[in-house]
């Protein structure tokens, strides 16, 4: 039994109009509706979207109609006041995001007010979902108009399963970063459990933008954020090929095909079908066709271009200008080359019915997709699906997402007028055997990767998301607080090893900002003062940092530089964990690092007492990773056979003593303290895994945050570690100190929980 699906998209598949005192419903145009309608129909799901007009005349009649849509068809309308709708849709979505995401920043309009409307509209869509969703529903949000919706839903209802699919391209990060609201939009998307893109190119660009704008690293298939793992997929959208088959084989379409053949007898037919949009390359196509007629006169009267362009977004000024430009070009070319019995271009500026379209697709000798940039382009797939025996040729822009899947098409660069004209001539002259071979490969792929399998796989990704989360929770679940307290109470000697950054305090953008609050210090000290309890603060930081914050607490063990330096309780001095650790090796390593410092802008060297680190956080990420490999390899060769090791961390290559790691430190602490019946170890990053690996399997090992770990237990954030420390230290919840510490750190989490509770009651 498939789980209930709620699709959220800007438009419903029907558009409501008021004409002549009556309500009418027209099929909405565009690729998103074409791909999703059959999927939602088959799943029996709910579709939430804007009905295409604002409440005005006859509000009762309109409301009754919309209620019937929801009851009978599963189409739930989100109403947007006229003012919001315009600024959101015509404004931020189509005047700012559309051109920018398609790589035309100079066409984008930047108006902060339209973003306010975008936020308002996204909130209304999210509210419409929250009013209707149940816990098991799968929520699938679509496209660039609704990029904030996933995070709005996540904030209101953290357990919801949310997918997002971007139908348009994701631009290279240097273009995306132009957007003043880039942070909000990325954070909005990261509310989802699964994010889908049309191509790997778009997915890669998104990952780089997340890295550059938010500083969050990712893998090719996942990003870990706030304790959640977000799956990333490239899932090219398809068409429902069966439906086109049925149409092509229907008597009505066959009749229409015969009529078209008679009409164009003796001439070749080239077909272009687009929304009238400036990314589709319509003027470029017309100029290319003019070039063909001008330079290869034998094609005059021998070929006709049928250009169908469905009007769209007509209130946006750019689109009105495009419409004029296309009208003029068609008029000029037909005027210059037409004859009484032949028009070079047949131009229809309207929506044509699917049967009419199927007939045109099946008779056309060439299908011409000339997008300057396109997420996918379904017309390319529809053309291929409708071709039968003696198939035609698909001319496909290399800038459409479809080009990454349809390698057997004739590839064109739509900006290259003579090159594209030559490709068109080649397509028109192509021998049948070659056409058949190319077509066979294309059509089998179009059928295999159709809209139904696209949706099935996307929904399966989404169903998987929470299961994945449950799995990782099972392998490292929440710590059993009662058992932990019992074990603590029963043990005569206890050792608690606590990492600092990301474990006792949240990670901060600058290390100097991550100072402990007085409440954190007090809780740690209370724990250390309990009889038989040894508390060690274990960090990669310098001794100066630890001394500054914890220096006054004589009951603590302190370990700096991953254990290279240790201060015992009551001792005034720090000692190296191993005797004889010197720094004679440093000048030699420093010389190597200086060489890279000079070569790599943005990199820097950190000198510690027992380590040297080369940081490259500010270096362009790909170059940084590449050059870091070289740094690590060069140093590795030089230091082979010494006591020193080269370690790769997050954006850092570090040289230190091989024994200076937290795992060795655990051994050292245990040897100094003696056997401790109770062991608690908490940490958040890769260096803490050494501790988890070093302690007995029944120790209470706790990993903070998402990601893979060998720890037995997992908590989401430092607030949870502090809550545990408070419990072990014997602070009662009513204790103002414990309550204060937890409130301060846990405010965010608590706020989330409360909002959820409000929404659900
Ligand atoms: P669109 O930009 O709308 O879609 P496209 O994928 O080509 O682009 O889809 C157009 C759809 O509208 C096709 O199904 C076509 O048959 C139909 N259509 C176009 N002109 C028509 C006309 N005159 N009459 C009737 N029907 C017409 C967005 C992205 C694309 C992405 C899709 C789906 O911009 O890149 O492929 O979503 O993800």
């Amino acid at each position: 039994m498939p789980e209930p699906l709620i699709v959220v998209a800007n438009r419903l598949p029907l558009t409501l109009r008021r004409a002549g005192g009556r309500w009418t419903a027209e099929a909405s145009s565009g690729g998103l509706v074409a791909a999703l309608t059959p999927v939602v129909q088959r799943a029996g799901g709910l579709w939430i979207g804007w009905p295409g007009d604002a409440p005005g005349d006859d509000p009762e009649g309109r409301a009754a109609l919309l209620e019937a849509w929801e009851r009978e068809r599963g189409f739930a309308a989100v109403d947007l006041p006229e003012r919001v709708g315009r600024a959101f849709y015509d404004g931020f979505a189509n005047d700012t995001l559309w051109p920018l995401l398609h790589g035309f920043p100079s066409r984008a309009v930047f108006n902060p007010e339209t973003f306010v409307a975008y936020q308002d509209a996204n909130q209304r869509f999210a509210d419409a979902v929250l009013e209707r969703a149940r816990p098991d529903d799968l929520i699938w949000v679509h496209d660039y108009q609704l990029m904030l919706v996933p995070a709005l839903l996540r904030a209101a209802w953290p357990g919801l399963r949310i997918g997002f699919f971007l139908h348009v391209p994701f631009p290279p990060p240097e273009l995306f970063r132009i957007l003043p609201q880039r942070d909000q939009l990325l954070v909005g998307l990261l509310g989802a459990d699964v994010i889908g893109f049309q191509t790997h190119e778009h997915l890669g660009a998104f990952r780089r933008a997340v890295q550059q704008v938010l500083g969050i690293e990712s893998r090719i298939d996942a990003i870990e954020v706030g304790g959640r793992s977000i799956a990333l997929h490239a899932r090219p959208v398809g068409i429902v090929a069966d439906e086109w088959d049925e149409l092509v084989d229907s008597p009505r379409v066959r009749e229409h095909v015969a009529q078209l053949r008679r009409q164009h007898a003796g001439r070749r037919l080239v077909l272009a079908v687009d929304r009238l949009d400036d990314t589709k390359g319509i003027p470029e196509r017309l100029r290319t066709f003019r070039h063909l007629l001008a330079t290869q006169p034998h094609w005059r009267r021998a070929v006709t271009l049928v250009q169908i362009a469905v009007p769209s977004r007509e209130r946006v000024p750019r689109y009105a200008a495009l419409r004029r430009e296309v009208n003029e070009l068609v008029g000029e070319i037909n005027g210059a080359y037409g004859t009484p019995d032949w028009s070079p271009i047949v131009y229809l500026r309207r929506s044509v019915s699917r049967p009419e379209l199927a007939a045109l697709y099946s008779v056309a000798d060439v299908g011409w997709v000339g997008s300057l940039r396109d997420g996918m382009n379904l017309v390319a797939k529809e053309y291929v699906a409708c071709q039968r025996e003696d198939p035609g040729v698909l001319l496909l822009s290399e800038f459409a997402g479809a080009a990454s899947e349809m390698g057997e098409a004739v590839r064109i660069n739509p900006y290259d007028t003579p090159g594209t004209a030559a490709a068109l001539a080649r397509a028109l002259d192509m021998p049948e055997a070659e056409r058949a071979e190319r077509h066979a490969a294309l059509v089998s792929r179009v059928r295999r990767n159709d809209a139904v399998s696209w949706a099935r796989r996307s929904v399966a990704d989404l169903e998987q998301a929470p299961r994945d989360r449950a799995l990782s929770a099972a392998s490292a679940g929440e710590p059993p607080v009662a058992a932990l307290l019992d074990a603590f109470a029963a043990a005569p000697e206890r050792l608690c090893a606590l990492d600092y950054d990301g474990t006792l305090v949240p990670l901060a953008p600058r290390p100097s900002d991550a100072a402990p609050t007085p409440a954190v210090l007090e809780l740690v000290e209370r724990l250390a003062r309990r009889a038989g309890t040894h508390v060690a603060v274990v960090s990669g930081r310098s001794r100066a940092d630890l001394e500054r914050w914890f220096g006054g607490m004589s009951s603590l063990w302190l370990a700096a530089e991953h254990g290279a330096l240790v201060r015992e309780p009551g001792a005034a001095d720090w000692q190296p964990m191993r005797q004889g650790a010197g720094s004679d090796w440093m000048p030699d390593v420093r010389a190597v690092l200086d060489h890279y410092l000079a070569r790599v802008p943005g990199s820097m060297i950190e000198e510690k007492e027992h380590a040297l680190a080369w940081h490259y956080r500010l270096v362009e990420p790909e170059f940084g990773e590449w050059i870091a490999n070289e740094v690590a390899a060069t140093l590795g060769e030089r230091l082979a056979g010494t006591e020193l090791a080269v370690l790769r961390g997050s954006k850092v290559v570090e040289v230190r003593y091989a024994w200076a790691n937290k795992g060795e430190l655990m051994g050292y602490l245990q040897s100094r303290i003696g056997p401790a019946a109770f062991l608690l170890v908490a940490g958040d990053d890769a260096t803490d895994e050494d501790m988890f690996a070093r302690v007995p399997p029944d120790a209470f090992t706790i990993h903070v945050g998402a990601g893979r770990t060998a720890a037995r237990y997992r908590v989401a954030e430092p607030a949870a570690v502090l809550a545990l420390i408070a419990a072990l230290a014997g602070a009662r919840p009513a204790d103002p100190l414990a309550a204060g510490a937890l409130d301060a750190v846990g405010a965010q989490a608590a706020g989330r929980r409360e909002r959820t509770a409000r929404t659900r009651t």
Side-chain angles (χ1 to χ4, degrees):
M1 179 73 186
E3 298 179 69
L5 178 67
I6 298 185
V7 160
V8 194
N10 176 53
R11 293 298 276 268
L12 286 174
L14 288 178
T15 299
L16 195 61
R17 294 210 195 285
R18 178 98 177 140
R22 281 184 52 236
W23 290 109
T24 59
E26 283 171 21
S28 306
S29 64
L32 184 149
V33 168
L36 273 173
T37 306
V39 169
V40 179
Q41 274 168 357
R42 285 175 199 205
L46 186 67
W47 183 315
I48 296 180
W50 182 45
D53 79 332
D57 263 7
D58 183 26
E60 294 85 21
R62 183 178 180 279
L65 192 75
L66 292 180
E67 261 170 47
W69 277 14
E70 181 158 358
R71 210 176 39 247
E72 289 158 18
R73 301 175 182 243
F75 298 163
V78 179
D79 269 332
L80 300 175
E82 175 109 29
R83 177 187 47 79
V84 174
R86 282 206 173 215
F88 149 69
Y89 183 67
D90 297 349
F92 195 76
N94 288 328
D95 241 0
T96 309
L97 281 179
W98 177 269
L100 199 94
L101 296 175
H102 284 86
F104 297 105
S106 59
R107 295 182 194 165
V109 175
F110 297 101
N111 173 358
E113 281 168 29
T114 61
F115 184 66
V116 175
Y118 184 86
Q119 288 172 303
D120 182 341
N122 273 247
Q123 186 66 59
R124 288 169 195 260
F125 278 91
D127 289 344
V129 175
L130 292 168
E131 273 167 31
R132 296 170 174 87
R134 285 157 306 172
D136 282 342
D137 291 348
L138 303 173
I139 316 293
W140 195 13
V141 184
H142 289 263
D143 225 3
Y144 64 102
Q145 300 94 345
L146 303 179
M147 289 167 86
L148 304 178
V149 169
L152 292 169
L153 293 175
R154 176 74 53 210
W157 194 352
L160 217 50
R161 289 179 292 178
I162 306 162
F164 182 90
F165 187 82
L166 188 68
H167 290 257
V168 299
F170 197 95
E174 57 275 20
L175 293 185
F176 186 76
R177 275 164 36 208
I178 292 173
L179 265 176
Q181 299 81 8
R182 60 205 189 170
D183 300 55
Q184 286 113 301
L185 293 169
L186 291 179
V187 168
L189 292 182
L190 293 179
D193 293 299
V194 181
I195 309 179
F197 299 88
Q198 302 273 24
T199 68
H200 278 287
E201 182 195 327
H202 306 159
L203 193 165
F206 170 74
R207 289 179 55 215
R208 292 204 303 281
V210 169
Q211 202 288 325
Q212 292 177 20
V213 175
L214 301 177
I216 300 174
E217 299 287 341
S218 53
R219 297 197 307 273
I220 191 163
D221 61 349
I223 300 191
E224 259 133 41
V225 179
R228 291 185 304 117
S229 183
I230 301 163
L232 304 176
H233 294 284
R235 288 243 179 282
V237 72
I239 59 167
V240 184
D242 297 355
E243 290 184 359
W244 289 96
D245 281 347
E246 259 173 51
L247 274 173
V248 172
D249 296 335
S250 70
R252 184 174 162 201
V253 170
R254 280 165 188 249
E255 198 178 300
H256 202 68
V257 165
Q259 191 193 333
L260 281 167
R261 290 224 161 95
R262 278 196 301 277
Q263 223 174 321
H264 294 275
R267 289 200 181 99
R268 304 297 186 74
L269 214 65
V270 175
L271 176 67
V273 179
D274 306 278
R275 272 189 312 99
L276 189 49
D277 190 289
D278 56 4
T279 61
K280 302 287 182 186
I282 301 171
E284 286 75 4
R285 174 186 292 119
L286 297 176
R287 284 194 283 268
T288 298
F289 193 59
R290 181 174 64 190
H291 184 88
L292 179 86
L293 298 178
T295 56
Q296 302 194 34
H298 65 281
W299 286 117
R300 294 181 198 165
R301 306 190 65 224
V303 59
T304 303
L305 169 64
V306 177
Q307 169 72 66
I308 298 178
V310 60
S312 106
R313 309 170 192 172
E314 294 203 297
R315 296 184 309 208
V316 177
R318 249 182 24 252
Y319 287 73
L322 174 69
R323 177 174 169 159
R324 279 195 301 277
E325 186 184 3
V326 171
N327 281 346
E328 278 167 21
L329 274 166
V330 170
E332 185 211 308
I333 297 166
N334 281 347
Y337 296 101
T339 59
D341 62 344
W342 172 69
S343 280
I345 302 169
V346 174
Y347 177 43
L348 307 183
R349 200 187 58 238
R350 62 176 168 85
S351 178
V352 295
S353 69
R354 306 245 312 163
E356 258 183 295
L357 208 51
L360 280 162
Y361 281 141
S362 57
V363 296
D365 299 289
V366 173
W368 184 353
V369 171
S371 310
L372 305 180
R373 190 82 180 134
D374 216 329
M376 176 54 48
N377 194 292
L378 295 179
V379 169
K381 298 188 173 182
E382 291 167 3
Y383 172 70
V384 166
C386 292
Q387 288 284 305
R388 290 292 184 270
E389 64 283 353
D390 193 9
V393 180
L394 173 65
L395 221 55
L396 178 59
S397 163
E398 62 185 86
F399 303 117
S404 65
E405 260 193 299
M406 303 181 84
E408 297 80 6
V410 172
R411 255 169 107 92
I412 54 167
N413 169 359
Y415 292 95
D416 174 6
T417 305
T420 305
L424 174 59
R426 191 153 71 82
L428 288 166
D429 279 335
M430 192 179 281
E432 188 185 348
E434 183 180 348
R435 282 186 274 126
E437 194 181 317
R438 287 174 184 258
H439 177 260
L442 286 171
V443 80
S444 67
R445 211 170 308 116
V446 164
R447 287 183 193 286
R448 202 170 50 240
N449 301 341
D450 71 350
V452 178
S453 77
W454 166 75
R456 207 184 41 235
R457 289 193 201 159
S458 304
V459 170
D461 297 338
L462 190 48
E463 282 171 340
Q464 202 66 36
R467 244 179 262 148
D468 277 348
R469 223 184 292 158
L471 262 184
S472 63
S475 61
E478 292 197 354
V481 178
L484 203 139
L485 289 176
D486 288 348
F488 182 89
E493 292 286 321
R494 307 129 181 169
L495 171 59
C496 304
L498 308 167
D499 166 53
Y500 179 71
D501 291 282
T503 301
L504 289 179
V505 295
L507 294 171
R510 284 174 310 166
S512 56
D513 293 340
T517 59
V520 169
L521 295 174
E522 177 79 29
L523 281 177
V524 170
E525 194 173 23
R526 274 197 192 192
L527 181 63
R529 280 207 303 259
R530 288 204 60 165
T533 310
H534 305 272
V535 177
V537 174
V538 177
S539 171
R541 286 190 179 248
S542 68
R543 74 158 128 173
D545 279 347
L546 296 188
E547 187 80 46
R548 183 164 60 249
W549 295 325
F550 297 98
M553 297 184 194
S554 60
S555 47
L556 289 183
W557 287 81
L558 297 177
E561 297 192 15
H562 300 103
L565 286 160
V566 179
R567 198 191 83 171
E568 301 205 356
D573 284 342
W574 291 72
Q575 299 293 333
M577 184 166 55
R578 296 238 176 125
Q579 294 309 315
S583 52
D584 317 347
W585 55 273
M586 282 195 172
D588 191 33
V589 170
R590 173 88 210 198
V592 175
L593 296 183
D594 277 340
H595 165 76
Y596 286 102
L597 184 69
R599 257 180 72 190
V600 183
S603 68
M604 65 177 222
I605 295 173
E606 184 190 1
E607 265 192 47
K608 305 183 185 181
E609 282 178 66
H610 288 282
L612 273 175
W614 183 76
H615 292 270
Y616 57 98
R617 186 163 296 283
L618 297 178
V619 178
E620 191 282 313
E622 245 171 273
F623 176 59
E625 291 306 331
W626 178 73
I627 202 90
N629 288 335
E630 192 181 317
V631 174
T634 310
L635 289 169
E637 256 172 51
R638 246 174 212 250
L639 300 174
T642 69
E643 258 194 294
L644 295 159
V646 182
L647 297 133
R648 293 288 297 271
S650 159
K651 303 282 175 193
V652 61
V653 178
E654 187 166 322
V655 176
R656 57 171 131 104
Y657 283 104
W659 49 259
N661 66 65
K662 292 180 179 179
E664 287 295 312
L665 179 82
M666 285 311 294
Y668 176 79
L669 287 174
Q670 285 166 289
S671 71
R672 303 280 295 133
I673 291 164
F678 175 90
L679 260 171
L680 172 76
V681 182
D684 74 309
D685 75 9
T687 64
D688 301 312
E689 294 295 316
D690 293 339
M691 294 199 275
F692 302 147
R694 187 59 189 257
V695 295
D698 61 347
F700 291 95
T701 46
I702 301 178
H703 174 82
V704 186
R708 275 175 217 147
T709 181
R712 286 169 75 199
Y713 306 109
R714 184 194 300 277
V715 296
E717 50 203 350
V721 177
L722 291 183
L724 214 57
I725 296 177
L728 295 175
R732 305 264 160 266
D735 179 331
L737 170 71
L742 301 181
D743 281 356
V745 194
Q748 216 185 338
R752 268 205 307 275
R753 278 193 293 275
E754 192 190 318
R755 272 198 303 283
T756 313
R758 266 209 313 272
T759 323
R760 306 309 311 150
T761 49

